[in-house]
């Protein structure tokens, strides 16, 4: 039995964190910049070379990502060989901005947190690159697709390796740009272009939060680099300022990680090619918000109000995504709802403070493997079913796509949290941590713990529903939409091997990292150790309750979707089902609260601009023209007229003077 209480140490969190970075003065200095340089250079070559690189461009993209992984692995091994207290290194690249009191250097922060993301992004990213070679084989713009993939990887690496919030913001915006290009890759189709624009706009809303947070950091701490901000004495900073910074960082995280209330873009983003879904929605972009919160742990620890809001947002989102996932018939959109829910678990854990930071990242890593594997499995199903995504027209595919079935199944068991698969070692820790009272507030432990526990049961239902509708039961795909015969088949080796490797990670990675506290100890220089309190429910009882709910959800889905007839046309369903099919009316709410008021405001501003501003300017001009016309009539050219005018004017002037003097 692995419990949170067994992870406690005698070292107080405040005694070891935050830790100042040690400047790098050895060979790793020259190698580390290549982490970003290789994929960035590859993207530039592929974009500038044009059609001349069509025959080899995709392999250049694969090599660039693989090269970044090798360098990341070397750097990881270097850090692993150092004492835990000296695993935070800075690679100084040079002065970036020097403007009066505002000084920012360009540099890289090499520590357990950033290197965890580097390995995840480059390893999973490389597998997705290999998968894409076959998946995009017949696309005439495959070379451009790989350029965008490399650009995305480079931007994500800048984000997680930055040693300041401003450089992090550069990577943050780069990820937003690359995701826009990838989601809208097939932008000749209007819905895909609209989906890309929707993701781009929603992320820009979150970016406002990060921009405001940067301003508050500079005005409060005198800088925006991690050492200046995170090592500052927070006791001298007002709670209002710290809460404001925390809430603005949370707003940024909500935009990138599709958390409530900025979650509406995630489902539509499935318009992109399936490898994009695996890259963006499993291991990279949507995890950036979790990284931002954990990286800013010192700020959130000093702002309990903002920390509580983080937990609330995570709890709402994990239930929101789970409910939506129960009603989706689109295979990829059901997985997208699952991603939203699982990121909600991570955000909830990050909001729990020191007790949850390491578990948030732990679940992020295991989720990156099993969710990427399932997204690639979805792409394999689409490959064998002529791009069909409606699960109601699948069924019985296990007999025809055995590798896809087994690899997807391992990911399914992992996300359910069945022992000993990966989700059991990470998600269950979040559930247990949620039941631990913080700051003496027992009610929070009960509320957030029950939400996390309920989410596990719903997750088991909708993920089992997805699995059984796709691979089990009777076949519902006898013909295509045009009436011809359907012939499902397994994908080629370049697609199945990445799925197999990810499935191995889904099965055993959690155990490898969880046993012996390996992963938590690895993150300790950044997240710190702490004395863990006892959950309000005994850990053994929690494990049993979680497994009972998970099995109940899976059995319910098995009865309804594996051994029962699944109608090809979905039934009307309950009011909640109908609401979940349209994402709980999130677009309707956004339109009512944001889009329509924004349109009315824009129309009002346009009217004001035309009627008032332009009207005033035009009115002044017209008045001048009118006065000029009147004065022009007095210019007759006759001397006697001018003399008479002067005489009349003189008389009027004399009269006025006499009246004033009297």
């Amino acid at each position: 039995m692995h419990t949170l209480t067994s992870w406690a140490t005698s070292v107080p969190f405040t005694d070891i964190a935050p830790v100042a970075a040690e400047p790098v003065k050895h060979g790793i200095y020259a190698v580390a910049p290549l982490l970003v340089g290789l994929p960035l250079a590859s993207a530039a070559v592929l974009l500038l070379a044009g059609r001349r690189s069509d025959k080899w461009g995709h392999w250049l993209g694969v090599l660039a990502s693989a090269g970044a992984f090798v360098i990341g692995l070397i750097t990881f091994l270097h850090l692993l060989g150092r004492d835990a207290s000296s695993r935070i290194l800075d690679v100084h690249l040079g002065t970036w901005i020097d403007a009066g009191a505002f000084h920012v250097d360009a540099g890289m922060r090499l520590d357990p947190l950033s290197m965890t993301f580097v390995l995840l992004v480059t390893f999973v990213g490389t597998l997705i690159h290999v998968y894409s070679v076959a998946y995009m084989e017949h696309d005439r713009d495959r070379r451009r697709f790989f350029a965008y993939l490399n650009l995305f990887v480079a931007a994500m690496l800048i984000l997680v390796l930055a040693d300041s919030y401003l450089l992090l913001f550069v990577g943050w915006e780069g990820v937003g740009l690359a995701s826009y290009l990838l989601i809208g890759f097939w932008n000749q189709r209007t819905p895909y272009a609209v989906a890309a624009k929707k993701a781009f706009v929603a992320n820009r809303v979150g970016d406002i939060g990060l921009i405001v947070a940067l301003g508050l950091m500079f005005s409060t701490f005198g800088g925006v680099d991690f050492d200046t901000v995170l090592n500052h004495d927070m006791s001298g900073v007002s709670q209002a300022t710290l809460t404001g910074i925390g809430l603005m960082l949370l707003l940024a995280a909500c935009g990138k990680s599709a958390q409530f209330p900025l979650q509406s873009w995630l489902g539509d983003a499935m318009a992109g090619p399936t490898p994009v879904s695996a890259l963006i929605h499993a291991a990279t972009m949507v995890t950036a918000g979790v990284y931002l919160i954990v990286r800013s742990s010192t700020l959130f620890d000093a702002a309990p109000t903002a920390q509580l809001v983080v937990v609330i947002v995570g709890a709402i989102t994990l239930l929101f995504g789970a409910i939506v996932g129960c009603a989706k018939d689109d295979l990829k959109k059901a997985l997208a709802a699952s991603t939203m829910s699982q990121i909600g678990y991570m955000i909830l854990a990050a909001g729990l403070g020191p007790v949850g930071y390491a578990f948030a990242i732990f679940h992020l890593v295991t989720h990156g493997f099993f969710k990427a594997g399932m997204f690639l499995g979805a792409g394999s199903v689409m490959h064998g079913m002529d791009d069909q995504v409606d699960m109601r027209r699948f069924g019985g595919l296990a007999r025809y796509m055995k590798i896809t079935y087994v690899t997807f199944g391992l990911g399914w068991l992992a996300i359910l949290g069945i022992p000993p698969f990966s989700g059991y070692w990470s998600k269950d820790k979040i559930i247990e941590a949620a039941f631990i009272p913080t700051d003496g507030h027992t009610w929070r432990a009960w509320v957030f713990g029950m939400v996390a526990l309920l989410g596990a049961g719903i997750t088991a239902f909708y993920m089992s529903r997805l699995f059984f509708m796709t691979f089990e039961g009777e076949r519902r795909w006898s013909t295509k939409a045009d009436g011809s015969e359907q012939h499902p088949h397994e994908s080629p080796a370049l697609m199945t091997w990445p799925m197999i490797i990810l499935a191995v990670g889904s099965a055993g990675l959690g155990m490898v990292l969880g046993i012996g506290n390996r992963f938590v100890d690895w993150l300790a220089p950044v997240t710190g150790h702490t004395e863990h309190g006892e959950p309000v429910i005994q850990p053994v009882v929690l494990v049993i309750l979680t497994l009972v709910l998970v099995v109940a959800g899976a059995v319910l889905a098995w009865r309804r979707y594996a051994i029962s007839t699944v109608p090809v046309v979905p039934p009307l369903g309950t009011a909640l089902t109908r609401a979940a099919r349209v994402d709980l009316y999130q677009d309707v709410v956004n339109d009512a609260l944001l889009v329509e008021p924004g349109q009315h405001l824009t129309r009002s501003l346009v009217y004001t601009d035309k009627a008032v501003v332009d009207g005033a300017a035009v009115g002044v001009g017209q008045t001048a023209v009118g006065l000029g016309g009147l004065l022009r009539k007095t210019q007759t050219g006759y001397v006697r007229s001018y003399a008479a005018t002067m005489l009349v004017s003189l008389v009027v002037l004399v009269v006025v003077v006499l009246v004033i003097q009297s």
Side-chain angles (χ1 to χ4, degrees), residues 331 334-335 374 381 391 394-398 401-413 415-416 459-473 476 554 557-558 561-562:
L331 177 59
L335 288 174
M374 286 191 285
V381 170
M391 294 185 294
F394 292 160
L397 292 180
M401 309 178 71
K402 290 182 173 58
I403 297 177
T404 302
Y405 171 66
V406 172
T407 55
F408 199 105
L410 290 174
W412 165 64
L413 293 172
I415 195 173
L416 262 59
T459 298
F461 172 77
Y462 74 78
M463 287 305 302
S464 299
R465 171 183 182 269
L466 181 154
F467 184 73
F468 294 141
M469 287 181 71
T470 302
F471 295 103
E472 303 292 348
R476 302 180 296 277
W558 176 73
Y561 301 103

Side-chain angles (χ1 to χ4, degrees), residues 14 31 74 76 120 359 386 422 458 471 480 519 538 544:
T14 54
V31 176
I74 293 171
F76 163 74
L120 178 65
F359 299 135
D386 300 304
S422 291
I458 302 176
F471 295 103
K480 303 179 186 179
F519 190 72
Q538 288 297 314
I544 294 173

Side-chain angles (χ1 to χ4, degrees), residues 320-376:
F320 190 106
I323 293 171
V324 169
C326 291
K328 289 295 183 182
D329 294 329
D330 184 308
L331 177 59
K332 289 176 64 177
K333 289 192 175 183
L335 288 174
S338 170
T339 296
M340 184 192 306
S341 180
Q342 296 303 305
I343 300 295
Y345 270 106
M346 301 171 206
I347 294 291
L348 184 149
L352 295 175
V355 72
Y357 292 136
F359 299 135
I361 303 301
F362 190 9
H363 191 51
L364 184 151
V365 172
T366 59
H367 174 267
F369 275 79
F370 60 68
K371 185 55 64 64
M374 286 191 285
F375 265 119
L376 296 188

Side-chain angles (χ1 to χ4, degrees), residues 374-451:
M374 286 191 285
F375 265 119
L376 296 188
S380 180
V381 170
M382 293 171 62
H383 180 271
M385 294 291 290
D386 300 304
D387 290 330
Q388 176 67 258
V389 293
D390 186 357
M391 294 185 294
R392 292 187 177 275
R393 298 185 180 276
F394 292 160
L397 292 180
R399 297 186 294 274
Y400 303 90
M401 309 178 71
K402 290 182 173 58
I403 297 177
T404 302
Y405 171 66
V406 172
T407 55
F408 199 105
L410 290 174
W412 165 64
L413 293 172
I415 195 173
L416 262 59
I418 301 295
F421 299 98
S422 291
Y424 171 69
W425 299 89
S426 58
K427 187 176 71 175
D428 281 32
K429 300 301 155 300
I430 295 176
I431 296 173
E432 193 172 327
F435 275 101
I436 296 177
T438 56
D439 299 327
H441 297 294
T442 306
W443 68 268
R444 294 184 186 178
W446 282 106
V447 171
F448 297 127
M450 293 304 294
V451 168

Side-chain angles (χ1 to χ4, degrees), residues 127 369 373 376 403-404 406-408 410 493 495-507:
L127 293 177
F369 275 79
L376 296 188
I403 297 177
T404 302
V406 172
T407 55
F408 199 105
L410 290 174
M495 292 174 63
T496 55
W497 271 109
M499 292 158 51
I500 292 170
I501 296 172
L502 290 170
V504 172
S506 301

Side-chain angles (χ1 to χ4, degrees), residues 40 137 145 187 269 293 312 332 399 416 490 566 572 582 611:
L40 194 60
E137 181 179 6
F145 179 77
N187 56 22
I293 293 175
I312 293 172
K332 289 176 64 177
R399 297 186 294 274
L416 262 59
E490 189 57 271
V566 178
L572 183 61
V582 291

Side-chain angles (χ1 to χ4, degrees), residues 445-642:
W446 282 106
V447 171
F448 297 127
M450 293 304 294
V451 168
L453 191 61
L454 177 62
I458 302 176
T459 298
F461 172 77
Y462 74 78
M463 287 305 302
S464 299
R465 171 183 182 269
L466 181 154
F467 184 73
F468 294 141
M469 287 181 71
T470 302
F471 295 103
E472 303 292 348
E474 58 186 18
R475 50 182 282 181
R476 302 180 296 277
W477 41 264
S478 57
T479 58
K480 303 179 186 179
D482 60 4
S484 60
E485 187 69 20
Q486 192 94 39
H487 296 288
H489 55 277
E490 189 57 271
S491 300
L494 281 177
M495 292 174 63
T496 55
W497 271 109
M499 292 158 51
I500 292 170
I501 296 172
L502 290 170
V504 172
S506 301
L509 184 63
M511 183 185 302
V512 171
L513 298 179
I515 292 179
N517 308 337
R518 291 189 184 97
F519 190 72
V520 172
D521 289 343
W522 159 250
L523 287 179
V526 180
T527 60
H529 289 293
T530 185
E531 291 284 351
H532 297 293
E534 286 288 337
V536 293
I537 299 177
Q538 288 297 314
V540 175
V541 177
L542 267 179
V543 170
I544 294 173
L545 282 175
T546 303
L547 287 177
V548 167
L549 282 175
V550 166
V551 171
V555 169
L556 178 60
W558 176 73
R559 288 174 59 88
R560 294 186 60 178
Y561 301 103
I563 62 174
S564 300
T565 301
V566 178
V568 175
V569 179
L572 183 61
T574 64
L576 181 59
T577 300
R578 295 194 298 273
R581 285 174 183 159
V582 291
D583 303 321
L584 298 180
Y585 303 111
Q586 58 185 357
D587 286 332
V588 175
V589 172
N590 287 344
D591 287 344
L593 295 180
L594 300 173
V595 177
E596 292 180 4
Q599 291 175 340
H600 290 307
L601 177 61
T602 302
R603 294 190 186 104
S604 299
L605 292 174
V606 170
Y607 175 79
T608 302
D609 181 64
K610 289 183 177 179
V612 179
V613 179
D614 288 353
V618 172
V620 170
Q622 291 177 342
T623 301
V625 171
L627 290 175
L630 292 175
L631 291 175
R632 187 170 60 249
K633 292 180 180 180
T634 65
Q635 306 301 311
T636 61
Y638 296 108
V639 175
R640 60 179 180 273
S641 297
Y642 298 154

